[in-house]
Amino acid sequence: MSRKTLLTSKEIEIILHRLACQLIENHNDFSNTVLIGLQPRGTFLAKRLTKLLTEEYNIKDLKLGLLDITFYRDDFRRRNAPLEATSTQIDFLIEDKKVVIIDDVLYSGRSVRSALTAIQSYGRPENIELLVLIDRRFSRHLPIQPNYRGRQVDAINEEKVVVNWQETHKKDTIYLETKPTKLDD
């Protein structure tokens, strides 16, 4: 398996600051905006952005929720192995709020579609935006596009984007992994 570094720790830090500034430009003081990180992998990005916005950009009373979409997925009954749900942590209403859904990688769009369905259980938002760290441009199954993207990657079918966060892997790094084909043997 070959592995190519897409983003280093420093590059991720720069992108996080850019994304935070873009959010501030569009949501000002966040008084009518909430952030929703998708469980499990979008939560690291959502928590990082929340910390950055509150500690370095002095945004007060920023609301962050974590949304589990396991049972809203269109494939949860089709898998051989049972899916394990994580917890949803949304302790505020989203009725008439601007919602920013946050995930690490936008691939087929199915997770985001599931999130759109799940979020309805918490009220009817004024509008919903999507923020992703990596946008895999050529992999979409559904017509879903991010409003905010850290980096766009032209990954093809057998390539996989792997996001490693400091919290779980001791270092922030994003890789593009390619499985060897029979021609490579």
Side-chain angles (χ1 to χ4, degrees):
M1 181 174 303
S2 68
R3 179 182 260 194
K4 173 185 170 187
T5 301
L6 291 177
L7 294 173
T8 64
S9 178
K10 184 66 175 172
E11 291 168 323
I12 292 170
E13 182 181 337
I14 291 167
I15 287 171
L16 291 177
H17 278 274
R18 178 174 50 80
L19 291 169
C21 289
Q22 289 174 342
L23 286 169
I24 292 169
E25 286 176 13
N26 291 332
H27 298 279
N28 196 16
D29 64 355
F30 290 79
S31 60
N32 197 40
T33 301
V34 299
L35 306 179
I36 304 289
L38 296 188
Q39 293 275 29
R41 295 183 314 262
T43 60
F44 297 109
L45 177 58
K47 288 177 180 177
R48 286 277 190 92
L49 282 170
T50 299
K51 183 177 181 182
L52 198 60
L53 288 164
T54 56
E55 292 179 7
E56 296 196 32
Y57 294 99
N58 299 316
I59 302 298
K60 305 291 183 215
D61 302 318
L62 182 59
K63 291 184 175 37
L64 170 65
L66 307 177
L67 180 65
D68 177 66
I69 59 169
T70 303
F71 299 113
Y72 294 93
R73 294 177 56 95
D74 60 4
D75 65 348
F76 90 92
R77 292 176 199 244
R78 296 178 180 196
R79 293 182 174 217
N80 292 335
L83 292 173
E84 291 187 31
T86 53
S87 62
T88 291
Q89 299 168 17
I90 299 177
D91 60 356
F92 49 84
L93 296 175
I94 65 163
E95 189 75 27
D96 295 324
K97 298 285 187 191
K98 295 176 182 174
V99 174
V100 180
I101 293 175
I102 300 173
D103 205 3
D104 62 346
V105 178
L106 176 57
Y107 180 37
S108 67
R110 292 184 184 280
S111 293
V112 175
R113 194 235 18 105
S114 300
L116 293 171
T117 302
I119 205 101
Q120 293 174 13
S121 300
Y122 298 91
R124 184 172 187 237
E126 178 182 317
N127 75 347
I128 299 175
E129 295 178 332
L130 176 61
L131 181 147
V132 297
L133 186 58
I134 301 292
D135 176 11
R136 285 187 55 151
R137 186 167 69 150
F138 295 134
S139 307
R140 217 74 80 239
H141 297 173
L142 301 169
I144 292 174
Q145 300 301 321
N147 301 86
Y148 311 93
R149 75 171 52 91
R151 175 135 181 225
Q152 191 170 49
V153 175
D154 294 340
I156 56 175
N157 297 338
E158 297 302 315
E159 296 175 321
K160 181 178 180 181
V161 175
V162 177
V163 180
N164 291 335
W165 292 106
Q166 182 177 355
E167 293 85 346
T168 57
H169 293 86
K170 307 291 186 237
K171 184 178 178 184
D172 293 336
T173 314
I174 300 177
Y175 299 104
L176 182 65
E177 290 184 350
T178 306
K179 293 179 183 177
T181 62
K182 293 198 186 268
L183 297 174
D184 294 335
D185 291 341

mmCIF file of all heavy atoms in Angstrom, residues 63-107:
data_model
loop_
_atom_site.group_PDB
_atom_site.id
_atom_site.type_symbol
_atom_site.label_atom_id
_atom_site.label_comp_id
_atom_site.label_asym_id
_atom_site.label_seq_id
_atom_site.Cartn_x
_atom_site.Cartn_y
_atom_site.Cartn_z
ATOM 1 N N LYS A 63 -22.302 27.450 20.412
ATOM 2 C CA LYS A 63 -22.960 26.172 20.701
ATOM 3 C C LYS A 63 -22.424 25.095 19.764
ATOM 4 O O LYS A 63 -22.435 25.258 18.549
ATOM 5 C CB LYS A 63 -24.468 26.322 20.562
ATOM 6 C CG LYS A 63 -25.076 27.187 21.659
ATOM 7 C CD LYS A 63 -26.571 27.236 21.545
ATOM 8 C CE LYS A 63 -27.233 27.972 22.666
ATOM 9 N NZ LYS A 63 -26.582 29.124 23.190
ATOM 10 N N LEU A 64 -21.989 23.987 20.365
ATOM 11 C CA LEU A 64 -21.485 22.837 19.622
ATOM 12 C C LEU A 64 -22.289 21.608 20.006
ATOM 13 O O LEU A 64 -22.446 21.304 21.189
ATOM 14 C CB LEU A 64 -20.003 22.590 19.933
ATOM 15 C CG LEU A 64 -19.420 21.274 19.408
ATOM 16 C CD1 LEU A 64 -19.420 21.252 17.877
ATOM 17 C CD2 LEU A 64 -18.023 21.053 19.960
ATOM 18 N N GLY A 65 -22.780 20.902 19.005
ATOM 19 C CA GLY A 65 -23.462 19.635 19.218
ATOM 20 C C GLY A 65 -22.760 18.532 18.447
ATOM 21 O O GLY A 65 -22.042 18.790 17.486
ATOM 22 N N LEU A 66 -22.956 17.299 18.891
ATOM 23 C CA LEU A 66 -22.390 16.124 18.224
ATOM 24 C C LEU A 66 -23.548 15.227 17.826
ATOM 25 O O LEU A 66 -24.366 14.864 18.669
ATOM 26 C CB LEU A 66 -21.419 15.400 19.149
ATOM 27 C CG LEU A 66 -20.307 16.265 19.764
ATOM 28 C CD1 LEU A 66 -19.453 15.445 20.712
ATOM 29 C CD2 LEU A 66 -19.471 16.924 18.693
ATOM 30 N N LEU A 67 -23.605 14.851 16.569
ATOM 31 C CA LEU A 67 -24.750 14.124 16.021
ATOM 32 C C LEU A 67 -24.344 12.731 15.547
ATOM 33 O O LEU A 67 -23.440 12.595 14.719
ATOM 34 C CB LEU A 67 -25.353 14.911 14.855
ATOM 35 C CG LEU A 67 -26.564 14.303 14.145
ATOM 36 C CD1 LEU A 67 -27.760 14.238 15.100
ATOM 37 C CD2 LEU A 67 -26.914 15.135 12.918
ATOM 38 N N ASP A 68 -25.022 11.716 16.076
ATOM 39 C CA ASP A 68 -24.827 10.345 15.601
ATOM 40 C C ASP A 68 -25.838 10.071 14.491
ATOM 41 O O ASP A 68 -27.028 10.320 14.655
ATOM 42 C CB ASP A 68 -25.031 9.348 16.735
ATOM 43 C CG ASP A 68 -24.891 7.921 16.235
ATOM 44 O OD1 ASP A 68 -23.772 7.559 15.824
ATOM 45 O OD2 ASP A 68 -25.890 7.192 16.232
ATOM 46 N N ILE A 69 -25.353 9.572 13.363
ATOM 47 C CA ILE A 69 -26.223 9.325 12.205
ATOM 48 C C ILE A 69 -26.369 7.843 11.889
ATOM 49 O O ILE A 69 -26.934 7.481 10.861
ATOM 50 C CB ILE A 69 -25.697 10.066 10.955
ATOM 51 C CG1 ILE A 69 -24.273 9.598 10.625
ATOM 52 C CG2 ILE A 69 -25.776 11.571 11.146
ATOM 53 C CD1 ILE A 69 -23.762 10.048 9.280
ATOM 54 N N THR A 70 -25.907 6.982 12.769
ATOM 55 C CA THR A 70 -25.858 5.543 12.507
ATOM 56 C C THR A 70 -27.163 4.997 11.960
ATOM 57 O O THR A 70 -27.178 4.330 10.920
ATOM 58 C CB THR A 70 -25.479 4.776 13.790
ATOM 59 O OG1 THR A 70 -24.229 5.266 14.260
ATOM 60 C CG2 THR A 70 -25.379 3.290 13.529
ATOM 61 N N PHE A 71 -28.275 5.252 12.630
ATOM 62 C CA PHE A 71 -29.537 4.630 12.236
ATOM 63 C C PHE A 71 -30.297 5.437 11.190
ATOM 64 O O PHE A 71 -31.413 5.082 10.819
ATOM 65 C CB PHE A 71 -30.380 4.351 13.472
ATOM 66 C CG PHE A 71 -29.671 3.406 14.412
ATOM 67 C CD1 PHE A 71 -29.236 3.830 15.650
ATOM 68 C CD2 PHE A 71 -29.393 2.102 14.021
ATOM 69 C CE1 PHE A 71 -28.555 2.964 16.495
ATOM 70 C CE2 PHE A 71 -28.711 1.231 14.861
ATOM 71 C CZ PHE A 71 -28.295 1.664 16.100
ATOM 72 N N TYR A 72 -29.685 6.494 10.704
ATOM 73 C CA TYR A 72 -30.251 7.268 9.592
ATOM 74 C C TYR A 72 -29.560 6.920 8.271
ATOM 75 O O TYR A 72 -29.970 7.381 7.222
ATOM 76 C CB TYR A 72 -30.125 8.768 9.873
ATOM 77 C CG TYR A 72 -30.968 9.200 11.036
ATOM 78 C CD1 TYR A 72 -30.436 9.249 12.320
ATOM 79 C CD2 TYR A 72 -32.302 9.549 10.864
ATOM 80 C CE1 TYR A 72 -31.204 9.643 13.399
ATOM 81 C CE2 TYR A 72 -33.085 9.945 11.938
ATOM 82 C CZ TYR A 72 -32.529 9.981 13.197
ATOM 83 O OH TYR A 72 -33.310 10.368 14.264
ATOM 84 N N ARG A 73 -28.506 6.123 8.359
ATOM 85 C CA ARG A 73 -27.767 5.731 7.156
ATOM 86 C C ARG A 73 -28.627 4.821 6.290
ATOM 87 O O ARG A 73 -29.390 4.010 6.809
ATOM 88 C CB ARG A 73 -26.471 5.002 7.537
ATOM 89 C CG ARG A 73 -25.467 5.889 8.252
ATOM 90 C CD ARG A 73 -24.256 5.092 8.666
ATOM 91 N NE ARG A 73 -23.653 4.434 7.518
ATOM 92 C CZ ARG A 73 -22.642 4.925 6.806
ATOM 93 N NH1 ARG A 73 -22.098 6.060 7.157
ATOM 94 N NH2 ARG A 73 -22.173 4.271 5.785
ATOM 95 N N ASP A 74 -28.466 4.935 4.985
ATOM 96 C CA ASP A 74 -29.256 4.096 4.082
ATOM 97 C C ASP A 74 -28.691 2.688 3.943
ATOM 98 O O ASP A 74 -29.304 1.831 3.326
ATOM 99 C CB ASP A 74 -29.421 4.759 2.709
ATOM 100 C CG ASP A 74 -28.096 5.027 2.013
ATOM 101 O OD1 ASP A 74 -27.031 4.639 2.534
ATOM 102 O OD2 ASP A 74 -28.127 5.645 0.935
ATOM 103 N N ASP A 75 -27.543 2.434 4.566
ATOM 104 C CA ASP A 75 -26.936 1.103 4.453
ATOM 105 C C ASP A 75 -26.809 0.384 5.795
ATOM 106 O O ASP A 75 -26.199 -0.672 5.867
ATOM 107 C CB ASP A 75 -25.554 1.211 3.811
ATOM 108 C CG ASP A 75 -24.560 1.980 4.650
ATOM 109 O OD1 ASP A 75 -24.970 2.633 5.640
ATOM 110 O OD2 ASP A 75 -23.369 1.953 4.326
ATOM 111 N N PHE A 76 -27.405 0.914 6.861
ATOM 112 C CA PHE A 76 -27.138 0.313 8.162
ATOM 113 C C PHE A 76 -27.707 -1.098 8.287
ATOM 114 O O PHE A 76 -27.230 -1.893 9.064
ATOM 115 C CB PHE A 76 -27.570 1.228 9.320
ATOM 116 C CG PHE A 76 -28.984 1.061 9.803
ATOM 117 C CD1 PHE A 76 -29.278 0.204 10.843
ATOM 118 C CD2 PHE A 76 -30.020 1.776 9.224
ATOM 119 C CE1 PHE A 76 -30.565 0.060 11.300
ATOM 120 C CE2 PHE A 76 -31.307 1.640 9.683
ATOM 121 C CZ PHE A 76 -31.592 0.777 10.716
ATOM 122 N N ARG A 77 -28.698 -1.457 7.510
ATOM 123 C CA ARG A 77 -29.233 -2.826 7.558
ATOM 124 C C ARG A 77 -28.590 -3.739 6.516
ATOM 125 O O ARG A 77 -28.861 -4.922 6.477
ATOM 126 C CB ARG A 77 -30.737 -2.807 7.330
ATOM 127 C CG ARG A 77 -31.472 -2.158 8.464
ATOM 128 C CD ARG A 77 -32.943 -2.075 8.154
ATOM 129 N NE ARG A 77 -33.540 -1.086 9.023
ATOM 130 C CZ ARG A 77 -34.450 -1.360 9.932
ATOM 131 N NH1 ARG A 77 -34.896 -2.565 10.078
ATOM 132 N NH2 ARG A 77 -34.931 -0.412 10.690
ATOM 133 N N ARG A 78 -27.770 -3.201 5.665
ATOM 134 C CA ARG A 78 -27.164 -3.974 4.582
ATOM 135 C C ARG A 78 -25.768 -4.475 4.908
ATOM 136 O O ARG A 78 -25.199 -5.219 4.141
ATOM 137 C CB ARG A 78 -27.070 -3.114 3.315
ATOM 138 C CG ARG A 78 -28.415 -2.717 2.784
ATOM 139 C CD ARG A 78 -28.255 -1.855 1.581
ATOM 140 N NE ARG A 78 -29.561 -1.484 1.073
ATOM 141 C CZ ARG A 78 -29.766 -1.008 -0.109
ATOM 142 N NH1 ARG A 78 -28.759 -0.833 -0.932
ATOM 143 N NH2 ARG A 78 -30.973 -0.692 -0.500
ATOM 144 N N ARG A 79 -25.217 -4.061 5.996
ATOM 145 C CA ARG A 79 -23.839 -4.431 6.333
ATOM 146 C C ARG A 79 -23.798 -5.794 7.008
ATOM 147 O O ARG A 79 -24.719 -6.176 7.719
ATOM 148 C CB ARG A 79 -23.234 -3.386 7.259
ATOM 149 C CG ARG A 79 -23.057 -2.061 6.567
ATOM 150 C CD ARG A 79 -22.408 -1.087 7.494
ATOM 151 N NE ARG A 79 -22.129 0.136 6.754
ATOM 152 C CZ ARG A 79 -21.057 0.861 6.933
ATOM 153 N NH1 ARG A 79 -20.153 0.513 7.813
ATOM 154 N NH2 ARG A 79 -20.872 1.958 6.229
ATOM 155 N N ASN A 80 -22.710 -6.506 6.803
ATOM 156 C CA ASN A 80 -22.524 -7.806 7.451
ATOM 157 C C ASN A 80 -22.291 -7.651 8.947
ATOM 158 O O ASN A 80 -22.850 -8.373 9.746
ATOM 159 C CB ASN A 80 -21.349 -8.550 6.808
ATOM 160 C CG ASN A 80 -21.658 -8.950 5.388
ATOM 161 O OD1 ASN A 80 -22.818 -9.111 5.020
ATOM 162 N ND2 ASN A 80 -20.629 -9.091 4.573
ATOM 163 N N ALA A 81 -21.446 -6.708 9.300
ATOM 164 C CA ALA A 81 -21.163 -6.460 10.713
ATOM 165 C C ALA A 81 -22.135 -5.405 11.238
ATOM 166 O O ALA A 81 -22.440 -4.445 10.542
ATOM 167 C CB ALA A 81 -19.731 -5.964 10.871
ATOM 168 N N PRO A 82 -22.619 -5.593 12.448
ATOM 169 C CA PRO A 82 -23.528 -4.588 13.009
ATOM 170 C C PRO A 82 -22.805 -3.269 13.259
ATOM 171 O O PRO A 82 -21.638 -3.257 13.653
ATOM 172 C CB PRO A 82 -24.002 -5.208 14.317
ATOM 173 C CG PRO A 82 -23.016 -6.266 14.635
ATOM 174 C CD PRO A 82 -22.376 -6.702 13.350
ATOM 175 N N LEU A 83 -23.494 -2.174 13.015
ATOM 176 C CA LEU A 83 -22.924 -0.858 13.279
ATOM 177 C C LEU A 83 -23.062 -0.541 14.758
ATOM 178 O O LEU A 83 -24.030 -0.934 15.402
ATOM 179 C CB LEU A 83 -23.667 0.206 12.465
ATOM 180 C CG LEU A 83 -23.478 0.150 10.959
ATOM 181 C CD1 LEU A 83 -24.399 1.148 10.279
ATOM 182 C CD2 LEU A 83 -22.037 0.447 10.593
ATOM 183 N N GLU A 84 -22.091 0.172 15.278
ATOM 184 C CA GLU A 84 -22.146 0.591 16.668
ATOM 185 C C GLU A 84 -22.428 2.080 16.711
ATOM 186 O O GLU A 84 -21.682 2.882 16.150
ATOM 187 C CB GLU A 84 -20.828 0.288 17.364
ATOM 188 C CG GLU A 84 -20.595 -1.196 17.544
ATOM 189 C CD GLU A 84 -19.367 -1.478 18.382
ATOM 190 O OE1 GLU A 84 -19.039 -0.657 19.268
ATOM 191 O OE2 GLU A 84 -18.749 -2.509 18.142
ATOM 192 N N ALA A 85 -23.511 2.419 17.369
ATOM 193 C CA ALA A 85 -23.888 3.824 17.481
ATOM 194 C C ALA A 85 -23.033 4.525 18.526
ATOM 195 O O ALA A 85 -22.563 3.915 19.484
ATOM 196 C CB ALA A 85 -25.360 3.940 17.848
ATOM 197 N N THR A 86 -22.820 5.811 18.303
ATOM 198 C CA THR A 86 -22.195 6.661 19.309
ATOM 199 C C THR A 86 -23.312 7.531 19.879
ATOM 200 O O THR A 86 -24.472 7.355 19.538
ATOM 201 C CB THR A 86 -21.081 7.517 18.680
ATOM 202 O OG1 THR A 86 -21.624 8.203 17.555
ATOM 203 C CG2 THR A 86 -19.911 6.672 18.225
ATOM 204 N N SER A 87 -22.976 8.445 20.728
ATOM 205 C CA SER A 87 -24.030 9.240 21.349
ATOM 206 C C SER A 87 -24.212 10.574 20.636
ATOM 207 O O SER A 87 -23.262 11.157 20.131
ATOM 208 C CB SER A 87 -23.718 9.485 22.822
ATOM 209 O OG SER A 87 -22.522 10.218 22.944
ATOM 210 N N THR A 88 -25.448 11.023 20.609
ATOM 211 C CA THR A 88 -25.757 12.365 20.136
ATOM 212 C C THR A 88 -25.751 13.274 21.346
ATOM 213 O O THR A 88 -26.310 12.936 22.386
ATOM 214 C CB THR A 88 -27.133 12.391 19.450
ATOM 215 O OG1 THR A 88 -27.036 11.655 18.222
ATOM 216 C CG2 THR A 88 -27.583 13.809 19.147
ATOM 217 N N GLN A 89 -25.088 14.408 21.209
ATOM 218 C CA GLN A 89 -25.024 15.382 22.306
ATOM 219 C C GLN A 89 -25.434 16.750 21.763
ATOM 220 O O GLN A 89 -24.583 17.538 21.355
ATOM 221 C CB GLN A 89 -23.615 15.426 22.893
ATOM 222 C CG GLN A 89 -23.165 14.101 23.462
ATOM 223 C CD GLN A 89 -21.676 14.081 23.760
ATOM 224 O OE1 GLN A 89 -21.026 15.113 23.835
ATOM 225 N NE2 GLN A 89 -21.133 12.887 23.928
ATOM 226 N N ILE A 90 -26.728 16.975 21.726
ATOM 227 C CA ILE A 90 -27.256 18.280 21.315
ATOM 228 C C ILE A 90 -28.178 18.740 22.435
ATOM 229 O O ILE A 90 -29.277 18.224 22.593
ATOM 230 C CB ILE A 90 -28.009 18.187 19.969
ATOM 231 C CG1 ILE A 90 -27.061 17.712 18.862
ATOM 232 C CG2 ILE A 90 -28.628 19.535 19.608
ATOM 233 C CD1 ILE A 90 -27.719 17.516 17.512
ATOM 234 N N ASP A 91 -27.711 19.692 23.221
ATOM 235 C CA ASP A 91 -28.484 20.153 24.372
ATOM 236 C C ASP A 91 -29.065 21.551 24.154
ATOM 237 O O ASP A 91 -29.178 22.343 25.078
ATOM 238 C CB ASP A 91 -27.648 20.094 25.651
ATOM 239 C CG ASP A 91 -26.404 20.963 25.571
ATOM 240 O OD1 ASP A 91 -26.136 21.550 24.504
ATOM 241 O OD2 ASP A 91 -25.692 21.070 26.587
ATOM 242 N N PHE A 92 -29.413 21.841 22.902
ATOM 243 C CA PHE A 92 -30.000 23.121 22.543
ATOM 244 C C PHE A 92 -30.950 22.896 21.373
ATOM 245 O O PHE A 92 -30.878 21.876 20.686
ATOM 246 C CB PHE A 92 -28.918 24.147 22.175
ATOM 247 C CG PHE A 92 -27.902 23.609 21.192
ATOM 248 C CD1 PHE A 92 -28.138 23.619 19.819
ATOM 249 C CD2 PHE A 92 -26.700 23.087 21.648
ATOM 250 C CE1 PHE A 92 -27.211 23.115 18.924
ATOM 251 C CE2 PHE A 92 -25.756 22.577 20.753
ATOM 252 C CZ PHE A 92 -26.015 22.598 19.390
ATOM 253 N N LEU A 93 -31.835 23.836 21.174
ATOM 254 C CA LEU A 93 -32.773 23.756 20.054
ATOM 255 C C LEU A 93 -32.115 24.306 18.796
ATOM 256 O O LEU A 93 -31.340 25.259 18.868
ATOM 257 C CB LEU A 93 -34.043 24.547 20.363
ATOM 258 C CG LEU A 93 -34.890 24.036 21.526
ATOM 259 C CD1 LEU A 93 -36.049 24.987 21.781
ATOM 260 C CD2 LEU A 93 -35.406 22.641 21.233
ATOM 261 N N ILE A 94 -32.453 23.723 17.682
ATOM 262 C CA ILE A 94 -31.934 24.255 16.421
ATOM 263 C C ILE A 94 -33.032 24.931 15.604
ATOM 264 O O ILE A 94 -32.776 25.388 14.505
ATOM 265 C CB ILE A 94 -31.239 23.167 15.585
ATOM 266 C CG1 ILE A 94 -32.225 22.103 15.141
ATOM 267 C CG2 ILE A 94 -30.076 22.566 16.330
ATOM 268 C CD1 ILE A 94 -31.708 21.268 14.009
ATOM 269 N N GLU A 95 -34.210 25.003 16.171
ATOM 270 C CA GLU A 95 -35.337 25.660 15.499
ATOM 271 C C GLU A 95 -34.945 27.088 15.119
ATOM 272 O O GLU A 95 -34.505 27.874 15.954
ATOM 273 C CB GLU A 95 -36.552 25.668 16.430
ATOM 274 C CG GLU A 95 -37.828 26.127 15.792
ATOM 275 C CD GLU A 95 -38.443 25.090 14.855
ATOM 276 O OE1 GLU A 95 -38.217 23.875 15.059
ATOM 277 O OE2 GLU A 95 -39.144 25.499 13.930
ATOM 278 N N ASP A 96 -35.085 27.403 13.827
ATOM 279 C CA ASP A 96 -34.783 28.740 13.274
ATOM 280 C C ASP A 96 -33.324 29.164 13.458
ATOM 281 O O ASP A 96 -33.011 30.353 13.388
ATOM 282 C CB ASP A 96 -35.715 29.797 13.874
ATOM 283 C CG ASP A 96 -37.162 29.552 13.482
ATOM 284 O OD1 ASP A 96 -37.406 29.117 12.336
ATOM 285 O OD2 ASP A 96 -38.050 29.783 14.328
ATOM 286 N N LYS A 97 -32.436 28.229 13.694
ATOM 287 C CA LYS A 97 -31.007 28.540 13.804
ATOM 288 C C LYS A 97 -30.308 28.252 12.485
ATOM 289 O O LYS A 97 -30.768 27.462 11.668
ATOM 290 C CB LYS A 97 -30.343 27.679 14.894
ATOM 291 C CG LYS A 97 -30.871 27.890 16.283
ATOM 292 C CD LYS A 97 -30.371 29.172 16.847
ATOM 293 C CE LYS A 97 -30.775 29.275 18.305
ATOM 294 N NZ LYS A 97 -30.540 30.597 18.835
ATOM 295 N N LYS A 98 -29.168 28.880 12.301
ATOM 296 C CA LYS A 98 -28.281 28.537 11.191
ATOM 297 C C LYS A 98 -27.403 27.403 11.704
ATOM 298 O O LYS A 98 -26.764 27.530 12.746
ATOM 299 C CB LYS A 98 -27.441 29.738 10.781
ATOM 300 C CG LYS A 98 -28.283 30.865 10.223
ATOM 301 C CD LYS A 98 -27.447 32.074 9.923
ATOM 302 C CE LYS A 98 -28.364 33.193 9.420
ATOM 303 N NZ LYS A 98 -27.634 34.443 9.256
ATOM 304 N N VAL A 99 -27.399 26.298 10.973
ATOM 305 C CA VAL A 99 -26.668 25.105 11.395
ATOM 306 C C VAL A 99 -25.499 24.876 10.442
ATOM 307 O O VAL A 99 -25.674 24.900 9.218
ATOM 308 C CB VAL A 99 -27.592 23.860 11.398
ATOM 309 C CG1 VAL A 99 -26.790 22.598 11.684
ATOM 310 C CG2 VAL A 99 -28.712 24.028 12.409
ATOM 311 N N VAL A 100 -24.322 24.659 11.005
ATOM 312 C CA VAL A 100 -23.154 24.285 10.207
ATOM 313 C C VAL A 100 -22.822 22.846 10.577
ATOM 314 O O VAL A 100 -22.412 22.562 11.710
ATOM 315 C CB VAL A 100 -21.948 25.203 10.473
ATOM 316 C CG1 VAL A 100 -20.757 24.768 9.614
ATOM 317 C CG2 VAL A 100 -22.296 26.662 10.198
ATOM 318 N N ILE A 101 -23.043 21.922 9.630
ATOM 319 C CA ILE A 101 -22.683 20.520 9.823
ATOM 320 C C ILE A 101 -21.200 20.376 9.494
ATOM 321 O O ILE A 101 -20.733 20.877 8.459
ATOM 322 C CB ILE A 101 -23.533 19.604 8.920
ATOM 323 C CG1 ILE A 101 -25.007 19.651 9.364
ATOM 324 C CG2 ILE A 101 -23.011 18.175 8.943
ATOM 325 C CD1 ILE A 101 -25.947 18.886 8.461
ATOM 326 N N ILE A 102 -20.475 19.671 10.356
ATOM 327 C CA ILE A 102 -19.022 19.547 10.215
ATOM 328 C C ILE A 102 -18.637 18.078 10.141
ATOM 329 O O ILE A 102 -19.019 17.286 10.996
ATOM 330 C CB ILE A 102 -18.310 20.232 11.396
ATOM 331 C CG1 ILE A 102 -18.682 21.716 11.436
ATOM 332 C CG2 ILE A 102 -16.802 20.044 11.305
ATOM 333 C CD1 ILE A 102 -18.181 22.446 12.654
ATOM 334 N N ASP A 103 -17.866 17.732 9.100
ATOM 335 C CA ASP A 103 -17.336 16.376 8.972
ATOM 336 C C ASP A 103 -15.919 16.455 8.435
ATOM 337 O O ASP A 103 -15.518 17.455 7.826
ATOM 338 C CB ASP A 103 -18.223 15.533 8.063
ATOM 339 C CG ASP A 103 -18.106 14.032 8.341
ATOM 340 O OD1 ASP A 103 -17.385 13.644 9.280
ATOM 341 O OD2 ASP A 103 -18.741 13.244 7.611
ATOM 342 N N ASP A 104 -15.149 15.381 8.629
ATOM 343 C CA ASP A 104 -13.753 15.415 8.201
ATOM 344 C C ASP A 104 -13.598 15.252 6.693
ATOM 345 O O ASP A 104 -12.888 16.016 6.058
ATOM 346 C CB ASP A 104 -12.912 14.396 8.972
ATOM 347 C CG ASP A 104 -13.337 12.956 8.767
ATOM 348 O OD1 ASP A 104 -14.439 12.712 8.233
ATOM 349 O OD2 ASP A 104 -12.576 12.058 9.173
ATOM 350 N N VAL A 105 -14.268 14.252 6.102
ATOM 351 C CA VAL A 105 -14.109 13.975 4.673
ATOM 352 C C VAL A 105 -15.481 13.865 4.018
ATOM 353 O O VAL A 105 -16.337 13.128 4.501
ATOM 354 C CB VAL A 105 -13.327 12.652 4.438
ATOM 355 C CG1 VAL A 105 -13.202 12.340 2.952
ATOM 356 C CG2 VAL A 105 -11.947 12.725 5.081
ATOM 357 N N LEU A 106 -15.674 14.599 2.940
ATOM 358 C CA LEU A 106 -16.877 14.450 2.127
ATOM 359 C C LEU A 106 -16.525 13.495 1.000
ATOM 360 O O LEU A 106 -15.681 13.791 0.162
ATOM 361 C CB LEU A 106 -17.335 15.796 1.564
ATOM 362 C CG LEU A 106 -18.527 15.758 0.606
ATOM 363 C CD1 LEU A 106 -19.748 15.111 1.245
ATOM 364 C CD2 LEU A 106 -18.844 17.166 0.122
ATOM 365 N N TYR A 107 -17.165 12.336 1.017
ATOM 366 C CA TYR A 107 -16.869 11.284 0.050
ATOM 367 C C TYR A 107 -18.079 11.109 -0.859
ATOM 368 O O TYR A 107 -18.237 11.813 -1.848
ATOM 369 C CB TYR A 107 -16.487 10.009 0.806
ATOM 370 C CG TYR A 107 -16.147 8.816 -0.052
ATOM 371 C CD1 TYR A 107 -15.465 8.944 -1.249
ATOM 372 C CD2 TYR A 107 -16.488 7.535 0.362
ATOM 373 C CE1 TYR A 107 -15.146 7.832 -2.013
ATOM 374 C CE2 TYR A 107 -16.167 6.416 -0.393
ATOM 375 C CZ TYR A 107 -15.506 6.578 -1.586
ATOM 376 O OH TYR A 107 -15.202 5.474 -2.332
#
